[in-house]
Amino acid sequence: NKQHMAPVARTLRARLPRGYSSRHPATRVVATLSPKFLPASVRSSATSFFRTRASSPQEASTSASEPSAITTTTASDDDDAEKVVRRMYRKINERDVNAAMECVDDDIVYEDLNFPTPFQGADAVRKLFEESCDGIPADLDFVIDECTSGDPLCVGMTWHVELGGKTFPNARGCSFYRISPTTGRLVYARDIVENPTKLGSTAFAIMRAVLPLVRKQIGAADAPSTESDKKNIERTITPAAVAFGFAGAAYWYILLLSPPFSMMPSAALLPGEPMWAVAPDTLSEVVAESTDFFFVLPLLNNLGINFMQGPDVHPVSLGFFNACEAYALLLLPLLLRQAKKRGTSTNVLPVWSAAMFLTNAILLPYFAVAKSEEGTASSDDGSNAPLSPAAERAFGIGGLAVGALSVYWTLAANPELGGSLADRASYWSSLVALDPSGGGSRVTIAFLVDAALFYAWQVWLMGELADEKPEKQTSVLRFVPFAGLALWLL
């Protein structure tokens, strides 16, 4: 009814916070907003309007005598979205799930993009909150950074996680929340958490490779494309690219993302924690092993050079970690040779650099992309030029040295920490126990899978490059794990 509502709408537009959508119907604005936005004259006009719409004389009488009835079915004045969400965060940090649930509507839909499906209803969200609070250190807090403003029913936030007052690595995020205009409680939420893998430009290469497959899967119409684009689509859909893509997805889910037994017993595949719920102790162990990369720091400490003291890491864990890293080191010359021979466009060096830290979480997607790009690089493209013979020999010598030191470290180094051979064997057995409810180490299991895959890449790539080395030498060395690759490079 434009005649009745025009003055109301004009006043509202002048008084609402900046950014509030003018597309909201004026009747909804009057019915949902706090009275503090409405002067007495506007409330009177609105009351008059609603009185004319009442279905009975009794309702009209009630509306006329009680102007505040316009907001009797809405949230209280203090229940704007930001305040509700801040109160919920505060209660979560206090591990008070019952109090946090007072901010949640019964009909909530909560989308946490770490999970495959949304949590629907208060009971499902309560379970999510309980699982997120269970066993979490008391000094781990969610901290809000910035909030949007302008809409009392919706708010966007950026946030991060702190442990003991210090920023937790790879734990930033952004969220969107909407509250019900009726109950003033949270009715919709979406959380997006920082990706810890930091694939960089590799992510674009993976995206280009899988886009045609995704387009076919979801039945999306083909976009207008250039001849170059069409060539990309044709070479992407190959059995090898698809196989490597599925293998990469399985690797990521099973080893890095599958839920822990403590949260989802029925869905747990491995012991230990996934990347998105890594325990501080596990993170400390990984950091300690990385600090002792290639045994540089422990060796310097043994020589009396103590500018930085190496952390204490069980020699079995440290030896196996460095053996796997040395294996990844030896793969670079093979990857460069293959990329040049096959005409792969993706730059190998940054991919290999990332694989030194994330191993086959990077290499499997790379192989999927590489198989879709064969023949696309020009002959004069120098981005994947093979290493010189001297550099390849240096890689071989370095790999053999670290490999030999890894064997010694695993079997004999630091007896005060590692104990006897029997103690070390027992410790190794505990690390690779596969029972999801047991005490096995997911990190060690992942490295064990990496070692097996590195051997597969050695056999495959040395076979493809057999014509670049003496045939007898390749036919024997390609099947000797680790040492065969190092000697081949020599």
Side-chain angles (χ1 to χ4, degrees), residues 3 15 27 30 54 67 80 128 172 193 292 302 308 326 361 394 412 480:
Q3 182 177 1
R15 289 178 174 267
T27 52
V30 173
D80 64 63
L128 171 66
R172 296 172 296 179
V193 184
D292 290 342
N302 289 340
M308 180 179 176
V480 180

Side-chain angles (χ1 to χ4, degrees), residues 407-429:
V407 173
Y408 161 74
W409 219 270
T410 301
L411 300 178
N414 291 352
E416 68 282 357
L417 186 59
S420 64
L421 275 176
D423 294 332
R424 294 167 192 252
S426 176
Y427 179 76
W428 172 257
S429 297

Side-chain angles (χ1 to χ4, degrees), residues 54 100 102 136 219 236 242 246 253 265 269 380 388 424 464-465 480:
E102 293 177 1
I136 300 297
T236 298
V242 172
F246 276 113
Y253 178 73
L269 301 175
D380 58 350
S388 67
R424 294 167 192 252
E464 280 204 352
L465 302 170
V480 180

Side-chain angles (χ1 to χ4, degrees), residues 89-298:
Y89 270 71
R90 186 168 63 252
K91 296 305 178 183
I92 290 292
N93 287 338
E94 295 171 359
R95 309 297 184 261
D96 189 346
V97 173
N98 288 332
M101 288 302 299
E102 293 177 1
C103 303
V104 176
D105 192 88
D106 290 341
D107 297 325
I108 186 171
V109 175
Y110 200 115
E111 295 182 336
D112 184 332
L113 299 190
N114 278 320
F115 295 87
T117 57
F119 296 87
Q120 297 192 355
D123 290 341
V125 173
R126 175 182 288 276
K127 184 177 180 181
L128 171 66
F129 286 178
E130 288 173 346
E131 290 179 346
S132 66
C133 292
D134 184 34
I136 300 297
D139 58 348
L140 188 143
D141 295 322
F142 292 89
V143 181
I144 295 173
D145 298 320
E146 295 186 79
C147 299
T148 60
S149 62
D151 189 335
L153 297 179
C154 303
V155 65
M157 292 180 169
T158 58
W159 49 267
H160 68 279
V161 176
E162 291 185 357
L163 181 63
K166 303 294 184 180
T167 300
F168 197 93
N170 299 314
R172 296 172 296 179
C174 57
S175 300
F176 174 81
Y177 301 101
R178 183 171 68 246
I179 65 171
S180 166
T182 304
T183 66
R185 295 184 176 189
L186 189 64
V187 75
Y188 175 78
R190 175 180 287 185
D191 292 339
I192 302 175
V193 184
E194 178 179 9
N195 187 341
T197 56
K198 306 296 186 294
L199 295 178
S201 58
T202 305
F204 297 115
I206 296 172
M207 183 174 66
R208 285 191 291 270
V210 303
L211 274 176
L213 299 177
V214 174
R215 183 184 297 279
K216 183 177 180 180
Q217 180 68 27
I218 65 177
D222 290 334
S225 57
T226 63
E227 288 302 314
S228 175
D229 293 330
K230 292 176 182 177
K231 186 179 179 182
N232 284 339
I233 291 174
E234 291 170 1
R235 67 172 181 267
T236 298
I237 305 176
T238 64
V242 172
F244 277 116
F246 276 113
Y251 182 100
W252 269 90
Y253 178 73
I254 296 172
L255 294 172
L256 303 181
L257 301 177
S258 61
F261 183 84
S262 60
M263 289 187 180
M264 298 182 182
S266 61
L269 301 175
L270 293 173
E273 313 90 19
M275 294 178 68
W276 51 268
V278 63
D281 289 345
T282 303
L283 186 62
S284 298
E285 178 187 350
V286 173
V287 171
E289 290 175 350
S290 301
T291 304
D292 290 342
F293 183 74
F294 283 0
F295 307 104
V296 173
L297 199 54

